[in-house]
Amino acid sequence: MSQVQASPTEYVGRPEAAVSPVRARRRATGSRWWTVAVLVVATLIALPVLVVVSHILAPTGDVWRHLASTVLSRYVWNSIGLMLGVGAGVLLIGVTTAWLVTMCRFPGARVFEWALLLPMAVPAYVIAYTYTGLLDFAGPVQTALREVFGWTSRRDYWFPQLRSLEGAIVMMSLVLYPYVYMMARAAFLEQSVCALEASRVLGCGRWKSFFRIALPMARPAIVAGTALALMETLNDFGTVAYFAVDTFTTGIYRTWFGLGNPAAAAQLGAVLMLFIFALVMMERWSRGRASYQHMSTRIRALPRIRLTGWRAALAITACALPLLLGFVIPAWVLGQWAVLTWDDVMAGGRFWDRAINSFLLSGSAALAAALIGVLLAYGQRMRRSAVTLAAVRVASLGYAVPGSVIAVGVLVPLTAFDNTVDAWMRSMFGFGTGLLLTGTATALVYAYLVRFLAVSYNAIEASLGKVTRNLEGASRTLGHGPFSTLGRVHLPIIRGSILTGALLVFVDVMKELPATLIMRPFNFDTLAVRTYELASDERLQEAAPAALAIVAVGVVPVILLSLAIARSRPGSAR
């Protein structure tokens, strides 16, 4: 009796039918090992957050009573005020500019499309230092006003107080609005003209169509961008510390170093995490059961409205002001200061040492984030179980947690581990080991991973999800296991996204201040730390070269991100 041989195409999608039972068992074992690896890595990444949460009920003596009677209410109200002010600022600037460059045609619109993202390259603390040096009493602006009008003291005139809660709101809004801008612009580009035309047929004007159709359809993206901006607001330390605005981030730093109480610092971090959790829950509650979907199956490019005369001038002003205030003026001022102080700053070579330290930390964190991001994304793809999905979700929570909180969550277990090992070595061998991990660059890179792994993972996971499983099935049919399939099939396809995610992590680490300031090794400074130290000593001009280097590094991924958004809908913005 003749046997029927299956065609090779029948094995694609059923690779287990084309291999021996031994290979099938090896594959199953390999999949289990990938799952175990995902669970172990996710647990290590989530450990600092879990440590902070576990300290909520830890005894702290009279520290909380002291905080409650002195500064706790100020932490709460300043944090809330900062969130409300920055939220309103980024919404106003981000949505307005995104709508103008997407839906309108006016001189310079195509330049503004990518240029409006440039303020994202400027850390909030850098722009705060720059405008303080520019607008302070001894700065060039007030000095020129006194010379022109003959004023002799501050009593002769009124000038806005920059070092205040309001000043911090303005500074952060100028550099954080790109989060809303890029999300809103991408959402507007995805909308079809069919829905807007239907509203016009029903009697809605352009503005009414915007508020009743376009804005609600883009609402999820706008809210997501606002949430990212608010998370960065709660993470900020340099701006609020320099402006003497007491928030939870400054409170954590002072409680750890000033009061010497890690448990109380962890509890403050847990309270700050509650703020972030409240942000997410309020957004979901406000959305309710509403759904925002395109009902038309015909997608046509959005026609731009040609603006002329005073309307074009108003649009140019609305787009130019955020760019001018958020990037051009700070970059120009920093450039002038860097030229003036270049020789003094370069003397001794310490600048290059700090630059090398910054690049080594950023490069190490970016490489580790890329490797772990691939591990988590591919492990989840191989076995999409509820356990692996939950583990990856928990490991990705770090981006929503401020750097100061993560620093506390890392230092507490590492210090306990080092002390335990030291005590054991002394009891067994008569000598101690000291601090093995605490205060080392390894611990700092670990904190960066906890904070920024989600950036790398999201880019890799999104790209990996676009790879058809037929390629994976064909590779398995040819006898390749999970690791070989990853190296020969998936990595060559998603290498662009891996590099993008690593680049974003690199830039984020270059700008990170709270975690670096708390955890850096002794006599180990970075550009961000040096900028903060010089600005704290009111040596703003000397801080310019380091600050300008941070800004320059951040410009590259911002431009790449803008080009990616522009290509997301070919022809739609033209």
Side-chain angles (χ1 to χ4, degrees):
M1 187 174 180
S2 62
Q3 296 180 347
V4 179
Q5 184 177 5
S7 63
T9 58
E10 294 177 358
Y11 295 130
V12 178
R14 290 191 304 114
E16 66 277 0
V19 295
S20 65
V22 175
R23 280 186 177 175
R25 285 194 298 271
R26 288 178 179 175
R27 287 176 186 165
T29 303
S31 298
R32 285 195 294 270
W33 277 113
W34 275 95
T35 302
V36 171
V38 168
L39 294 178
V40 171
V41 171
T43 302
L44 290 175
I45 297 298
L47 180 62
V49 179
L50 299 177
V51 167
V52 172
V53 174
S54 67
H55 276 73
I56 292 179
L57 300 178
T60 57
D62 295 331
V63 173
W64 263 101
R65 186 179 305 159
H66 169 72
L67 293 176
S69 62
T70 53
V71 294
L72 185 58
S73 61
R74 194 156 63 244
Y75 292 164
V76 173
W77 291 116
N78 283 343
S79 298
I80 293 176
L82 202 60
M83 290 168 54
L84 293 177
V86 173
V90 297
L91 279 174
L92 177 63
I93 300 174
V95 176
T96 302
T97 53
W99 177 255
L100 286 174
V101 299
T102 305
M103 293 299 297
C104 302
R105 184 177 301 171
F106 55 91
R110 293 188 178 182
V111 175
F112 286 129
E113 286 181 0
W114 61 268
L116 281 167
L117 281 173
L118 289 176
M120 184 183 287
V122 184
Y125 57 87
V126 169
I127 195 174
Y129 305 154
T130 304
Y131 275 108
T132 299
L134 191 64
L135 302 177
D136 213 359
F137 181 79
V141 173
Q142 291 199 50
T143 301
L145 288 175
R146 289 194 298 271
E147 291 178 355
V148 170
F149 295 100
W151 296 327
T152 59
S153 66
R154 192 182 293 273
R155 293 190 299 270
D156 296 334
Y157 65 99
W158 177 86
F159 198 85
Q161 181 62 34
L162 188 62
R163 298 195 190 190
S164 61
L165 177 62
E166 294 77 12
I169 289 173
V170 173
M171 295 297 102
M172 292 185 190
S173 298
L174 287 175
V175 296
L176 294 180
Y177 81 83
Y179 286 101
V180 178
Y181 166 79
M182 66 177 178
M183 301 289 281
R185 181 172 173 243
F188 290 146
L189 286 173
E190 292 172 357
Q191 293 180 7
S192 171
V193 70
C194 303
L196 299 179
E197 285 180 346
S199 69
R200 299 294 296 275
V201 170
L202 295 175
C204 294
R206 290 175 178 173
W207 283 106
K208 199 170 183 180
S209 296
F210 169 72
F211 284 108
R212 301 192 64 176
I213 303 298
L215 194 60
M217 291 175 66
R219 179 187 177 281
I222 294 172
V223 171
T226 305
L228 288 174
L230 293 181
M231 290 176 187
E232 291 297 324
T233 300
L234 292 175
N235 177 61
D236 181 84
F237 175 81
T239 306
V240 293
Y242 187 65
F243 281 6
V245 178
D246 293 331
T247 61
F248 278 102
T249 51
T250 60
I252 292 170
Y253 184 83
R254 292 170 184 168
T255 304
W256 181 278
F257 289 99
L259 301 178
N261 195 317
Q267 289 177 357
L268 283 176
V271 175
L272 184 53
M273 290 173 59
L274 290 178
F275 273 77
I276 297 172
F277 178 74
L279 281 176
V280 178
M281 295 306 296
M282 286 176 62
E283 190 279 326
R284 293 183 180 274
W285 173 78
S286 64
R287 188 191 311 174
R289 296 180 178 272
S291 178
Y292 305 90
Q293 299 175 351
H294 300 283
M295 300 305 295
S296 173
T297 57
R298 296 189 303 116
I299 302 295
R300 290 195 284 125
L302 293 168
R304 290 192 171 190
I305 304 169
R306 184 179 295 276
L307 301 179
T308 57
W310 66 269
R311 292 183 176 86
L314 190 61
I316 294 173
T317 303
C319 293
L321 272 179
L323 176 62
L324 188 68
L325 297 175
F327 182 80
V328 177
I329 291 178
W332 174 258
V333 173
L334 288 174
Q336 288 186 322
W337 289 350
V339 171
L340 293 175
T341 60
W342 184 262
D343 293 336
D344 294 335
V345 172
M346 294 299 121
R350 295 299 304 276
F351 175 85
W352 298 115
D353 291 340
R354 298 181 184 103
I356 291 173
N357 291 341
S358 299
F359 275 84
L360 286 177
L361 287 176
S362 301
S364 301
L367 178 61
L371 293 175
I372 295 177
V374 171
L375 170 66
L376 295 180
Y378 190 61
Q380 182 181 357
R381 179 185 177 92
M382 289 186 61
R383 180 168 291 188
R384 290 189 63 88
S385 63
V387 176
T388 56
L389 183 61
V392 172
R393 291 280 179 85
V394 173
S396 302
L397 289 177
Y399 192 70
V401 182
S404 56
V405 178
I406 290 177
V408 173
V410 170
L411 285 176
V412 169
L414 289 187
T415 303
F417 173 80
D418 287 344
N419 291 336
T420 302
V421 172
D422 181 73
W424 183 79
M425 290 293 293
R426 289 182 185 278
S427 63
M428 294 295 295
F429 303 102
F431 63 89
T433 58
L435 298 178
L436 298 175
L437 297 175
T438 306
T440 64
T442 302
L444 192 53
V445 171
Y446 175 45
Y448 292 148
L449 278 176
V450 177
R451 175 86 169 89
F452 299 115
L453 177 63
V455 177
S456 175
Y457 166 77
N458 288 337
I460 296 171
E461 196 271 338
S463 179
L464 194 61
K466 297 177 183 178
V467 179
T468 176
R469 290 189 177 271
N470 290 338
L471 294 176
E472 187 174 331
S475 175
R476 296 296 188 88
T477 300
L478 296 175
H480 294 284
F483 191 80
S484 178
T485 300
L486 173 64
R488 292 173 176 266
V489 178
H490 293 101
L491 290 183
I493 296 176
I494 66 172
R495 64 177 179 269
S497 296
I498 295 175
L499 292 176
T500 300
L503 181 61
L504 292 175
V505 173
F506 184 93
V507 175
D508 282 336
V509 172
M510 284 285 293
K511 297 189 296 183
E512 174 65 24
L513 179 61
T516 309
L517 197 61
I518 295 175
M519 296 188 59
R520 74 187 192 279
F522 292 111
N523 297 322
F524 188 92
D525 286 340
T526 64
L527 293 176
V529 171
R530 186 57 177 168
T531 301
Y532 169 77
E533 290 177 343
L534 290 173
S536 300
D537 294 337
E538 299 299 334
R539 298 159 63 186
L540 297 175
Q541 292 189 359
E542 295 180 43
L548 196 61
I550 296 173
V551 173
V553 171
V555 167
V556 177
V558 166
I559 295 177
L560 295 178
L561 182 61
S562 178
L563 294 176
I565 295 175
R567 292 194 300 264
S568 64
R569 187 73 182 275
S572 62
R574 300 287 180 265

